[in-house]
Amino acid sequence: MNLFYLSTGKAFKGNSYKYKNIYSNKLISDFFPMLLDENGDFDTFCPSPFHGRSVVVHYNKKTQRYIVIKGCGLTYFPYNFTNTGEVGDGTWGLLLKDDAIRDYICGDEISKLGIYTNKMEAVLKITNFKFNTGKNILNPYILQYSVDCPYRLADAPFLPIKIIKKYVKKWGRFGKAYNQKHLIVADVVFNNLKIMHDNEILHNAINIQNYTLSLELLDFELSRTPDMPYSKEDELIFKDLFKREVFHCLEIINFICYLFKENMDSKELGQILKKYGYSM
């Protein structure tokens, strides 16, 4: 990968492995079945400490999009994967099969509703590497997707202002006529929330780590959609969690206020919430 395209963050080495294609976009021909390895021969890039198990592996000049893989191992620990025992096979750095598939299918479904998201490319099973969780021996799974922006909102404190301005300028694509940036973000995230809730979708992880600086929504491995419902028990209560997602959005807006040193316009914000059927 040419690191010229990412001017901040940290570089990591990785190695390619044999793989089985579980899901993939028919338009995608380049796959990155990789795990982090300090002795590897492939350059990857981690934009900030907040990307614990995902790295940027490629920049596609034709589409002008960055390729990200998730589940490739930890970026902050000497070993790729470690299991601390409290959640069974749930392992730090590892992406489990069911979670990878849920992320891919839910993300694809939400994107088709018109919400600006990452673009799912593939779910890949690493076939010649296994990890012992203490209970089971598992193959890692890689979720591969592309983004317009490799940086999350949470990465902003680590970025030079010129990079932040580059992506904030793209907020014009949403057509929101507000003078203050936190109101633009508010309109975008609450519009997204209404679309999801109207379609009986729970994202279940709305925060500053799961929106990029281009305001792409990410990370659907905990989401619930009609195509990917929860277990029978959780299906009975998922709508009870809708209300807390309003507050998750408000936390994002508060972050934007701090980032751009804006005072929150509570009156205008209340009008935005009202427009989308929510209240503070």
Side-chain angles (χ1 to χ4, degrees):
M1 177 186 171
N2 185 347
L3 295 183
F4 170 81
Y5 296 104
L6 290 177
S7 58
T8 64
K10 188 175 180 180
F12 289 86
K13 292 291 186 178
N15 266 332
S16 293
Y17 286 79
K18 295 179 181 178
Y19 70 97
K20 180 180 179 181
N21 190 330
I22 305 300
Y23 278 95
S24 66
N25 185 318
K26 294 180 181 179
L27 300 177
I28 302 302
S29 58
D30 294 327
F31 300 106
F32 298 88
M34 296 176 49
L35 299 178
L36 297 181
D37 183 344
E38 62 182 8
N39 297 314
D41 55 9
F42 196 95
D43 290 322
T44 75
F45 195 88
C46 185
S48 89
F50 292 117
H51 302 243
R53 56 171 175 166
S54 65
V55 292
V56 182
V57 294
H58 185 58
Y59 178 75
N60 188 319
K61 292 182 179 180
K62 184 176 180 180
T63 63
Q64 298 184 344
R65 295 180 66 82
Y66 295 87
I67 311 303
V68 178
I69 59 171
K70 177 180 177 180
C72 55
L74 294 170
T75 61
Y76 56 85
F77 197 66
Y79 305 104
N80 280 24
F81 310 114
T82 185
N83 186 290
T84 48
E86 71 274 16
V87 286
D89 285 335
T91 298
W92 297 94
L94 190 73
L95 188 60
L96 299 176
K97 178 182 179 180
D98 289 347
D99 293 339
I101 292 173
R102 179 174 291 276
D103 206 329
Y104 185 101
I105 293 177
C106 289
D108 209 35
E109 188 175 353
I110 291 169
S111 178
K112 289 175 181 176
L113 294 174
I115 293 175
Y116 190 40
T117 69
N118 56 343
K119 292 183 179 180
M120 296 300 175
E121 294 195 349
V123 173
L124 309 173
K125 176 184 178 180
I126 302 294
T127 58
N128 59 332
F129 182 99
K130 295 180 183 294
F131 177 78
N132 190 337
T133 69
K135 283 191 171 184
N136 296 294
I137 298 175
L138 303 178
N139 297 87
Y141 283 78
I142 299 297
L143 177 71
Q144 178 177 318
Y145 62 84
S146 73
V147 285
D148 169 65
C149 174
Y151 304 108
R152 319 277 178 89
L153 289 176
D155 299 335
F158 300 95
L159 300 175
I161 190 64
K162 67 178 182 180
I163 290 181
I164 295 174
K165 287 182 176 180
K166 171 186 175 180
Y167 289 105
V168 168
K169 188 176 181 180
K170 295 187 176 186
W171 294 359
R173 74 184 302 278
F174 297 104
K176 308 299 184 183
Y178 299 100
N179 293 324
Q180 297 191 85
K181 294 178 179 64
H182 75 277
L183 296 177
I184 296 173
V185 172
D187 205 306
V188 171
V189 299
F190 279 112
N191 180 49
N192 290 347
L193 195 64
K194 178 175 174 53
I195 292 172
M196 288 189 286
H197 289 177
D198 284 352
N199 287 276
E200 298 192 333
I201 292 171
L202 178 75
H203 182 278
N204 210 15
I206 295 173
N207 56 57
I208 59 174
Q209 292 192 49
N210 290 332
Y211 267 103
T212 71
L213 270 172
S214 286
L215 301 184
E216 299 158 283
L217 183 59
L218 312 172
D219 199 342
F220 309 98
E221 68 176 276
L222 298 177
S223 298
R224 185 272 177 203
T225 71
D227 285 349
M228 288 294 290
Y230 287 152
S231 65
K232 185 176 180 180
E233 182 179 346
D234 290 338
E235 273 292 291
L236 297 174
I237 62 169
F238 81 89
K239 287 186 179 180
D240 295 339
L241 303 182
F242 279 2
K243 188 173 292 186
R244 74 177 185 178
E245 293 199 307
V246 174
F247 287 91
H248 293 164
C249 291
L250 291 173
E251 288 177 339
I252 292 174
I253 295 158
N254 188 49
F255 175 84
I256 297 296
C257 286
Y258 273 80
L259 180 63
F260 294 106
K261 296 179 172 59
E262 296 180 347
N263 292 320
M264 186 178 292
D265 187 337
S266 297
K267 182 178 179 180
E268 190 66 44
L269 181 58
Q271 290 300 312
I272 292 172
L273 268 72
K274 184 178 180 180
K275 177 170 68 171
Y276 293 114
Y278 298 108
S279 61
M280 287 193 285

